[in-house]
Amino acid sequence: MAAATQQLAWGRFTLRRDAWWLQPLLVILGLGGFGLYSTYRVFENAHYVAGLYQSPLGSPDLRGYVPWLQAFVPFTISPALLILPFPLLFRLTCYYYRKAYYRSFFTMPPACAVRGASSHAYPGERGIFLLQNLHRFFLYLAILILVILWYDTALAFGLETGHLVVGLGGFLFLGNVILLSGYTFGCHSLRHLVGGKLDCYSCDEGSKARYKVWQRVSWLNTNHMGWAWASLFSIWAVDLFVRFLDIGLIRDVRLL
Amino acid sequence: MAQRGNVTMRLWRGTAAGGQFVDYQVAREEGMVVLDAVHAVQAQQANDLSVRWNCKAGKCGSCSAEVNGYPRLMCMTRLDLFDPGEPITVAPLKTFPLVKDLVTNVRWNFESAKRIPPLKPGPLTAEEQRKGEFQMMQQDVDRIQEFRKCIECFLCQDTCHVLRDAQDTDKFFGPRQMIRLANLEMHPKDSADRIPMIKKEAGVGMCNITKCCTEVCPEHIRITDNGIIPLKERVVDRYYDPVTMLLNALRPGNTKLR
Amino acid sequence: MQYRIEAFDVVVVGAGGAGLRAAIEASARGKRTAIICKSLLGKAHTVMAEGGVAAALRNVDERDNWQVHFRDTMRGGKFLNNWRMAQLHAQEAPERVRELERWGAVFDRTKDGWINQRNFGGHAYPRLAHVGDRTGLEIIRTLQDKGVHGGIAVFMEHTVVKLFKSEGRICGALCYERETGRFLLFKCKAIVLATGGVGRCYKVTSNSWEYTGDGQALGYEAGADLMDMEFTQFHPTAMVWPPSVKGILVTEGVRGEGGILRNSKGERFMFKYISPLFAKETADTEEEAKRWLEGDKAARRPPELLTRDEVARAIRNEVKQGRGTKHGGVFLDISWRDPAFVKAKLPSMYHQFKELAGVDITKEPMEVGPTMHYHMGGLRVDAESAMTTVPGLFAAGEVAAGLHGANRLGGNSLSDLLVFGKRAGEFAATWAERHEAREPDAAEVGAALQGAMAPLEREQGENPFALQAELQQVMQDLVGMIRERGELGQAVERIQELKKRAQQCAAPGNRMYNAGWHTALDIQHLLVSAEAITRSALLREESRGAHTRDDFPQTDKEKWSKVNVLCRPGADGAMSVTTEPLPAWPDDARKLIEGTLEAVTTKEAA
Ligand SMILES: Cc1cc2nc3c(=O)[nH]c(=O)nc-3n(C[C@H](O)[C@H](O)[C@H](O)COP(=O)(O)OP(=O)(O)OC[C@H]3O[C@@H](n4cnc5c(N)ncnc54)[C@H](O)[C@@H]3O)c2cc1C
Ligand code: SF4
Ligand code: SF4
Ligand code: FES
Ligand code: FES
């Protein structure tokens, strides 16, 4: 189409007059902030555990399984460094986060009907970005990690102490795994796998059952963005809590 | 609610050869929408002003334009949405070649639609054949009925950066056609295989899930979440996921893998 | 003046349901087929139809069949319908609807998975196949897809301005391309007119700019008869506030799903307006109406579901008696039903009111009043073949007359488009098979071109938009829902004057997508229909269906129940209005109708 040459001269970027830049800005602050903080935590290599509480940033601790890895790097490997790539890849290939980073960091586009700053156009899922098509495999790993985080939560309530422990930490952990579950089980790939791939939901008993599961996942999926942010901040909050506790900056509030 | 006085309509006048925004004063009436104001200009001040419309009720998708820079249906955009003191800018859809004033050439959308193979009903039951009707449960068609709400306003096509900024019309059919494909692909009685087309010709991989199409859709169709992403996942099943690819290979002839 | 030439076997003018269905049929029969429309493809009026398409599918109520549908249609039309059209329509509609499903349409489903059907005014059983409140969209999109894949040549945003005959037979059409203003001459063997109605000659209407009666005028000027022009349907429920949306339709589906009409005093007034024709099957207490809605088959239907003419007159009367709302309407209330139900069944009504009027219909009543909606009259056609009185010229859809008689039932239009669209396409193809193409006369084409260019060449003249507004005011005030000799006479005079002034319209600007120029040409077509409506209304001295005369409030059982009113060009070029007897009913058809015939009266309640 010879349209490119005919495009209007007006509004090289946009004619929008509302605060279209606000959303990408907030995303940059949110994701950027978390990125910086978690990088710092990866290399801080301390305060991942405080009493019963094992921070989600460093759980599970895989160091025992790959001791040889240490030989290759000049710094001491932290548990966060070993485990974080997996949730990171999960989130990087997540369909919601794709929207977030393509809009805010790549400005393709920064907002609707606003032209991006980049000089070349989005080329499609090429090169490293082909990984985006393997999101479901990161989902499988994420579910595995989620199970462990639920276990950590049980530990926070004193599973291994033999008696029930009820503290502020326990509730923070519980909130966090609930939000993480809401995020993980609202995944688009999961939605496809449990039932989205079917064309007929009433054709046999199996598809009827899968329809029910699909409906649940779809319900969570409707606000996948909300779950994504809430669970990101809850991880952040729980880790801060564990870290401060371990440093001694704050004290846990115990009810039982 | 009543706002008296005038409103300034800043309308694009001109053709592909050139043009500019022109300000017109229009008397404000209660409940007025942008299309009313444009019509008032047309009837009283600029008889030759070009604008498309039909239903004036958000049903036909003719009156698409960019109001204050945002893609909207003029007939469903009330003037009181905007600051009364400010002029209201109305520009034609930027993505498509300009014809004149607020009218653009949207023919490309009809051409890509033509390339999509139509419904191919699969084997029917004896009862279905007798009645000449399909037996499909409401729960089976809920999903595709959402896509069929589309009024072809092409606002999604206009706002999709792949078409708008890059003009990659040879690589990507755009969100409107994606939901047309999703509709056919998810139809319980369809037996055609469009996955190769969705990947290659229609270019589902060109969408980067930035969801502007969903944001502007006046029918509130969740184009990206319910249409494009499920299609991408189906493409993954066929072309990227070794597990499903293996299963596929073991069951030859089964294009619609469960 | 230059023009391009295209040659086809069959040219279909209009891409609504009727036109598309005709083109699909002609093309499937191997004829080279073109379809021409004024807007983009898929934007024709059909897209706006909301409630549903009537067909006795018997998916919801086993008692239904074509005979009942036939009877309902005749009764709704106050027996002025062409019985054979009504019969074909009732018999063929189910297959036409089912075929759409096989082409990709997805109707709402019953519990066991078949096409669902809903209740509508005047239909004895739930009969309307539907998709929420966007049935027309479903139908036009399905036909559009089928058509483009079937190899029809589409000329969108082209307007036909003249038809040509050679030795009495149709042979071509001249149109301009809206985008460039360039002219195009189609040479063909058969033409199908499917251009829809005439709503734009009224001020308050649910119709779009396209409804300027082009087909009626093109056919009339080619010598075809216009019939039943006095029957203009005012839909009882349209938005009345705010002013910018006045006339926009509120689907009958609202009443089908349980919407209740009340006046400003809170009375459910429809109980007062039940005419004897429908008394037997209409509930007379609120309690019974409620039971019917809950599915009690023994209960009778609520009076809100009487035919459109009856409900519209009732509303007008309430308002006239001072029991209307602040903005001159009455209340239509669906808010007593579950909000989720309302949003699922009437989604676009919900949005329409929410966004345009700021009213939440799940919480508050709507304010509604009548609007010009549909035209029962139009080109007179042969029942079987849909051919007009001009050889080779066919007509289907709203532009054709006969099926609906004096009043159309809701949902019977969409089925009309499908049934007679197909027939028109089929017979146009057969006609093209049997006849050779002929050349349009070059001098005639030249004259038509000149006429079309005139407004552009005039330096100064009438503003076409202002002129159209004036005509709309005349029709609204003098040829509205309730008519009277003096006013009709006045209207005829005003229209003559407007006709002269329409010749003096000027359109500034050039030929490219020039709305002023288009309107200047449209108004000449509009005036033909306006005149025919007014003259026919003046002639029919009775009240029947959608035609109500203040000076003749009774339905006449003798003279007027036996004739149609026809308009055709007289020898002196002026419009001549005559009557012609209805085709006789054969015995089997008579039997189906009998028993209900006596009760035809128009009851003007106090
Ligand atoms: C708001 C609304 C709701 C309705 N709801 C229902 C309902 O629920 N059920 C029902 O049965 N009916 C309903 N109707 C009525 C029904 O929709 C119409 O009567 C029907 O769609 C008319 O179809 P058609 O094919 O005759 O014409 P249209 O669909 O109007 O098509 C006319 C075509 O002719 C073209 N045309 C006109 N003039 C020219 C020209 N000079 N040159 C070239 N092309 C030309 C136009 O561009 C258009 O493509 C409704 C109508 C409205 C307005
Ligand atoms: S989500 Fe995809 S299709 Fe939709 S606007 Fe963005 S890139 Fe285009
Ligand atoms: S999907 Fe929505 S935005 Fe796109 S054309 Fe259809 S109605 Fe318009
Ligand atoms: S899509 Fe977001 S987690 Fe899978
Ligand atoms: S005019 Fe039909 S959508 Fe605006």
Side-chain angles (χ1 to χ4, degrees):
Chain A
M1 196 159 74
T5 50
Q6 296 187 10
Q7 271 200 16
L8 297 179
W10 52 257
R12 263 185 55 220
F13 292 100
T14 188
L15 285 173
R16 280 180 70 169
R17 290 202 295 251
D18 55 344
W20 56 265
W21 41 266
L22 186 64
Q23 224 187 21
L25 186 70
L26 290 176
V27 170
I28 289 180
L29 292 179
L31 288 185
F34 185 81
L36 290 177
Y37 175 78
S38 54
T39 313
Y40 169 71
R41 287 288 283 145
V42 163
F43 292 102
E44 188 184 28
N45 197 5
H47 315 303
Y48 296 119
V49 189
L52 294 176
Y53 305 133
Q54 162 96 29
S55 162
L57 280 189
S59 176
D61 187 342
L62 299 177
R63 281 176 299 191
Y65 299 93
V66 284
W68 45 267
L69 209 61
Q70 186 60 70
F72 295 92
V73 288
F75 51 83
T76 11
I77 285 182
S78 69
L81 183 66
L82 289 182
I83 194 64
L84 278 190
F86 301 110
L88 182 69
L89 277 167
F90 179 50
R91 288 194 185 234
L92 276 178
T93 55
C94 162
Y95 286 104
Y96 165 66
Y97 282 106
R98 281 170 79 175
K99 169 188 169 187
Y101 60 77
Y102 274 118
R103 278 202 189 189
S104 306
F105 291 93
F106 293 75
T107 67
M108 285 170 174
C112 302
V114 179
R115 197 187 175 96
S118 57
S119 54
H120 43 254
Y122 176 65
E125 291 146 359
R126 295 269 172 78
I128 183 84
F129 293 103
L130 275 172
L131 272 188
Q132 288 166 335
N133 284 311
L134 297 181
H135 180 58
R136 59 180 66 167
F137 292 97
F138 303 117
L139 166 72
Y140 304 148
L141 288 173
I143 293 177
L144 223 99
I145 295 173
L146 187 62
V147 172
I148 295 169
L149 295 186
W150 272 101
Y151 184 72
D152 287 346
T153 307
L155 293 181
F157 280 96
L159 183 68
E160 280 183 348
T161 60
H163 59 90
L164 185 64
V165 178
V166 181
L168 175 61
F171 287 112
L172 284 175
F173 269 64
L174 187 62
N176 181 42
V177 285
I178 289 176
L179 292 174
L180 277 172
S181 305
Y183 170 63
T184 312
F185 292 118
C187 167
H188 283 281
S189 291
L190 187 67
R191 185 170 180 235
H192 168 75
L193 293 164
V194 297
K197 55 162 54 179
L198 301 181
D199 291 338
C200 178
Y201 287 134
S202 61
C203 291
D204 52 55
E205 288 311 312
S207 53
K208 281 182 197 158
R210 286 175 73 177
Y211 175 63
K212 295 233 165 72
V213 183
W214 177 80
Q215 278 185 308
R216 301 273 143 74
V217 174
S218 298
W219 181 79
L220 286 173
N221 179 267
T222 312
N223 193 10
H224 194 49
M225 173 178 100
W227 292 105
W229 281 107
S231 59
L232 191 77
F233 285 123
S234 72
I235 293 175
W236 199 341
V238 169
D239 181 70
L240 273 175
F241 176 78
V242 174
R243 185 170 178 273
F244 288 158
L245 208 60
D246 197 42
I247 294 173
L249 219 61
I250 53 172
R251 285 175 53 202
D252 195 15
V253 187
R254 284 285 170 91
L255 301 177
L256 264 175
Chain B
M1 211 168 65
Q3 295 163 331
R4 300 266 158 246
N6 281 353
V7 56
T8 306
M9 299 301 295
R10 182 166 292 172
L11 310 182
W12 174 264
R13 299 301 311 269
T15 63
Q20 73 280 342
F21 283 104
V22 179
D23 283 2
Y24 299 93
Q25 298 296 316
V26 174
R28 196 187 271 272
E29 259 187 64
E30 189 170 345
M32 213 178 197
V33 292
V34 171
L35 185 63
D36 293 324
V38 171
H39 275 157
V41 172
Q42 188 186 53
Q44 294 147 19
Q45 306 175 50
N47 281 184
D48 63 338
L49 175 69
S50 315
V51 56
R52 283 196 183 105
W53 71 283
N54 280 76
C55 67
K56 224 177 148 302
K59 291 192 170 74
C60 72
S62 301
C63 63
S64 307
E66 301 189 1
V67 182
N68 281 352
Y70 197 80
R72 291 174 185 281
L73 295 179
M74 287 186 270
C75 70
M76 296 301 276
T77 306
R78 287 173 60 137
L79 294 186
D80 49 23
L81 199 72
F82 306 107
D83 185 345
E86 297 264 315
I88 295 175
T89 310
V90 187
L93 299 182
K94 190 177 183 193
T95 302
F96 304 108
L98 182 62
V99 172
K100 181 169 157 268
D101 304 339
L102 302 179
V103 172
T104 55
N105 179 346
V106 292
R107 226 158 267 164
W108 173 75
N109 298 294
F110 292 94
E111 279 152 24
S112 51
K114 201 170 163 178
R115 285 158 66 186
I116 296 175
L119 184 80
K120 183 174 155 209
L124 302 183
T125 63
E127 168 110 58
E128 285 177 326
Q129 271 166 3
R130 189 183 58 74
K131 281 190 82 134
E133 240 174 79
F134 297 153
Q135 191 169 22
M136 311 184 279
M137 296 299 156
Q138 189 60 45
Q139 72 205 51
D140 295 326
V141 299
D142 278 340
R143 259 191 315 182
I144 59 180
Q145 281 189 330
E146 177 182 13
F147 307 137
R148 298 189 64 86
K149 285 195 307 196
C150 171
I151 55 173
E152 302 212 313
C153 62
F154 306 130
L155 289 175
C156 57
Q157 305 283 80
D158 176 56
T159 193
C160 177
H161 67 110
V162 180
L163 307 175
R164 184 186 179 92
D165 298 336
Q167 293 276 317
D168 273 336
T169 47
D170 50 341
K171 296 193 191 128
F172 186 42
F173 278 13
R176 162 46 184 141
Q177 306 313 1
M178 286 297 134
I179 59 163
R180 191 191 288 272
L181 283 159
N183 161 205
L184 291 161
E185 207 25 55
M186 296 177 190
H187 195 296
K189 296 291 168 187
D190 179 60
S191 63
D193 176 20
R194 296 180 191 77
I195 298 292
M197 168 178 219
I198 290 168
K199 178 172 191 296
K200 294 171 190 139
E201 219 182 321
V204 74
M206 287 305 291
C207 161
N208 65 352
I209 323 288
T210 36
K211 285 198 180 174
C212 281
C213 49
T214 309
E215 223 170 88
V216 301
C217 177
E219 284 290 305
H220 308 292
I221 301 171
R222 292 177 55 216
I223 303 171
T224 328
D225 285 358
N226 291 348
I228 298 179
I229 295 175
L231 286 183
K232 277 185 181 270
E233 286 293 321
R234 286 175 187 226
V235 168
V236 170
D237 278 352
R238 182 77 63 88
Y239 292 100
Y240 297 102
D241 180 342
V243 183
T244 47
M245 283 162 78
L246 184 70
L247 288 175
N248 240 343
L250 294 179
R251 277 193 278 176
N254 184 1
T255 53
K256 291 211 150 184
L257 203 76
R258 295 284 172 253
Chain C
M1 180 116 255
Q2 292 290 306
Y3 54 88
R4 220 171 78 218
I5 297 179
E6 297 268 359
F8 287 90
D9 293 325
V10 176
V11 167
V12 179
V13 186
L20 282 165
R21 188 64 190 83
I24 289 169
E25 196 64 24
S27 153
R29 287 168 189 265
K31 293 289 155 254
R32 296 188 53 237
T33 306
I35 193 162
I36 311 173
C37 56
K38 291 206 278 192
S39 290
L40 295 172
L41 195 57
K43 311 293 181 198
H45 245 75
T46 303
V47 80
M48 298 167 220
E50 294 162 356
V53 44
L57 299 168
R58 315 177 69 204
N59 286 352
V60 173
D61 200 320
E62 286 271 325
R63 291 173 294 179
D64 203 9
N65 55 36
W66 76 260
Q67 286 90 343
V68 187
H69 191 183
F70 169 74
R71 188 207 63 182
D72 289 349
T73 303
M74 293 295 290
R75 217 154 54 140
K78 305 294 171 334
F79 308 104
L80 217 57
N81 326 48
N82 177 309
W83 71 269
R84 181 59 181 154
M85 285 178 89
Q87 187 184 41
L88 288 169
H89 167 254
Q91 286 171 334
E92 293 175 6
E95 175 48 23
R96 291 286 84 78
V97 171
R98 292 190 169 118
E99 141 192 290
L100 289 179
E101 175 149 286
R102 302 197 293 275
W103 293 349
V106 183
F107 293 99
D108 286 353
R109 318 308 296 177
T110 62
K111 280 207 177 59
D112 40 1
W114 306 109
I115 296 174
N116 200 359
Q117 296 175 275
R118 68 156 54 117
N119 282 301
F120 238 55
H123 293 281
Y125 304 113
R127 189 177 284 146
L128 270 72
H130 60 276
V131 188
D133 51 9
R134 54 167 192 86
T135 315
L137 170 65
E138 190 68 22
I139 289 181
I140 201 165
R141 199 68 78 234
T142 306
L143 292 173
Q144 172 188 344
D145 282 351
K146 179 79 184 167
V148 298
H149 286 112
I152 301 167
V154 181
F155 294 83
M156 49 187 184
E157 301 208 300
H158 284 65
T159 306
V160 175
V161 290
K162 183 89 185 158
L163 304 182
F164 302 103
K165 288 194 298 188
S166 169
E167 296 168 43
R169 249 165 50 198
I170 215 77
C171 67
L174 180 72
C175 71
Y176 63 84
E177 185 185 20
R178 293 165 64 79
E179 194 175 312
T180 57
R182 283 197 294 256
F183 288 91
L184 209 76
L185 177 68
F186 285 87
K187 295 182 180 172
C188 57
K189 300 171 184 167
I191 290 182
V192 179
L193 290 175
T195 53
V198 299
R200 289 314 275 183
C201 60
Y202 286 86
K203 192 171 158 202
V204 179
T205 176
S206 63
N207 293 175
S208 82
W209 69 270
E210 289 199 317
Y211 266 24
T212 48
D214 294 4
Q216 287 83 340
L218 292 169
Y220 171 85
E221 279 158 9
D225 289 353
L226 295 173
M227 187 174 92
D228 292 345
M229 294 296 280
E230 66 275 32
F231 297 110
T232 49
Q233 179 168 75
F234 291 85
H235 192 290
T237 59
M239 297 176 82
V240 295
W241 189 257
S244 97
V245 298
K246 191 166 172 133
I248 292 182
L249 195 75
V250 177
T251 175
E252 190 165 331
V254 175
R255 282 168 288 140
E257 302 296 351
I260 289 170
L261 287 167
R262 290 186 197 284
N263 60 23
S264 58
K265 293 192 163 148
E267 280 172 292
R268 190 167 172 183
F269 58 84
M270 277 312 296
F271 285 108
K272 293 189 304 196
Y273 295 88
I274 305 170
S275 71
L277 177 59
F278 297 103
K280 257 202 293 199
E281 62 250 44
T282 308
D284 41 26
T285 61
E286 293 209 22
E287 179 273 331
E288 184 177 1
K290 183 138 194 286
R291 268 196 291 125
W292 178 87
L293 205 62
E294 285 157 357
D296 179 352
K297 289 199 172 162
R300 294 171 299 174
R301 39 204 298 120
E304 274 85 4
L305 289 177
L306 286 170
T307 54
R308 288 179 177 173
D309 49 339
E310 319 257 344
V311 181
R313 263 195 306 272
I315 292 177
R316 187 183 177 279
N317 199 53
E318 285 299 307
V319 175
K320 208 170 122 198
Q321 305 287 327
R323 295 187 291 269
T325 63
K326 193 166 70 186
H327 304 115
V330 295
F331 292 115
L332 174 61
D333 192 4
I334 188 85
S335 66
W336 64 274
R337 299 214 73 154
D338 177 42
F341 174 87
V342 174
K343 282 185 208 168
K345 286 287 180 183
L346 304 161
S348 55
M349 283 304 110
Y350 173 76
H351 283 290
Q352 189 173 308
F353 272 90
K354 187 105 195 167
E355 280 161 42
L356 295 176
V359 168
D360 182 347
I361 66 168
T362 65
K363 297 208 181 78
E364 336 159 45
M366 303 159 237
E367 251 181 280
V368 297
T371 187
M372 165 60 184
H373 180 58
Y374 185 87
H375 194 201
M376 274 70 71
L379 291 163
R380 177 194 192 186
V381 291
D382 171 58
E384 308 279 338
S385 67
M387 190 155 89
T388 65
T389 44
V390 173
L393 182 63
F394 298 77
E398 192 169 338
V399 69
L403 170 61
H404 307 292
N407 172 56
R408 171 179 73 95
L409 296 186
N412 265 1
S413 170
L414 291 178
S415 42
D416 169 13
L417 312 181
L418 299 171
V419 169
F420 292 102
K422 163 162 186 298
R423 283 186 162 265
E426 178 183 339
F427 284 90
T430 313
W431 180 274
E433 190 74 47
R434 298 192 185 144
H435 295 85
E436 287 303 310
R438 287 194 182 143
E439 281 293 308
D441 180 58
E444 272 184 54
V445 176
L449 269 173
Q450 245 174 13
M453 287 298 290
L456 280 173
E457 283 154 3
R458 230 165 257 134
E459 290 283 309
Q460 290 225 322
E462 296 274 349
N463 174 341
F465 292 96
L467 204 67
Q468 190 179 23
E470 231 176 289
L471 172 65
Q472 290 170 342
Q473 197 69 53
V474 168
M475 293 299 283
Q476 192 77 28
D477 294 346
L478 305 176
V479 199
M481 261 178 77
I482 312 289
R483 297 154 179 182
E484 182 263 321
R485 176 181 291 136
E487 291 183 350
L488 290 170
Q490 247 177 295
V492 171
E493 275 164 35
R494 292 293 310 277
I495 290 170
Q496 296 310 321
E497 173 218 324
L498 287 170
K499 263 163 68 177
K500 288 204 197 82
R501 286 168 56 197
Q503 297 302 322
Q504 296 309 318
C505 274
N510 63 21
R511 278 156 75 177
M512 275 184 80
Y513 222 114
N514 183 338
W517 180 39
H518 303 163
T519 305
L521 296 181
D522 288 346
I523 192 164
Q524 313 207 4
H525 290 155
L526 204 48
L527 279 159
V528 173
S529 290
E531 181 174 359
I533 292 170
T534 312
R535 288 191 187 276
S536 306
L538 193 55
L539 192 67
R540 186 174 282 278
E541 296 187 328
E542 66 158 349
S543 293
R544 176 184 299 267
H547 171 68
T548 306
R549 286 280 298 258
D550 222 8
D551 40 357
F552 297 93
Q554 293 306 316
T555 302
D556 176 74
K557 286 190 193 137
E558 295 309 315
K559 178 175 177 203
W560 290 110
S561 62
K562 299 196 177 80
V563 293
N564 294 116
V565 177
L566 298 179
C567 301
R568 51 170 77 112
D572 54 350
M575 188 177 280
S576 91
V577 196
T578 53
T579 59
E580 198 162 290
L582 292 174
W585 299 345
D587 284 344
D588 51 344
R590 177 174 295 278
K591 250 198 253 134
L592 290 171
I593 307 167
E594 217 115 52
T596 52
L597 201 52
E598 292 70 44
V600 193
T601 50
T602 309
K603 186 179 147 202
E604 197 53 14

